[in-house]
Amino acid sequence: MFEYELQQIRSAELIREAEQYRRVRAARRARREERDTEHGGHGERPRRLRFLRAA
């Protein structure tokens, strides 16, 4: 019975973490969309390359 209760607690924790993760992603997406509409969409600032180009 103890293992079942631990599993239930862990399951509830994972559900809370997943919901928090989804909220953060939605907030970031909304902020990005708001910024893009304010600045006229994509292409306003040059993108930095993640890796340098080979010579």
Side-chain angles (χ1 to χ4, degrees):
M1 193 67 180
F2 183 69
E3 289 87 11
Y4 176 76
E5 291 174 4
L6 287 178
Q7 187 272 334
Q8 291 295 101
I9 291 169
R10 181 66 181 143
S11 177
E13 284 179 15
L14 289 173
I15 290 169
R16 280 192 297 272
E17 286 178 18
E19 183 59 33
Q20 173 73 19
Y21 179 76
R22 283 191 289 270
R23 276 195 230 121
V24 168
R25 285 186 62 199
R28 286 181 181 164
R29 187 180 313 118
R31 218 174 312 139
R32 189 179 319 121
E33 288 174 1
E34 181 180 325
R35 185 188 67 218
D36 288 347
T37 57
E38 288 175 359
H39 297 295
H42 298 290
E44 286 292 322
R45 64 186 169 120
R47 290 188 151 215
R48 288 182 287 163
L49 296 175
R50 182 171 276 189
F51 301 104
L52 295 176
R53 291 187 176 140

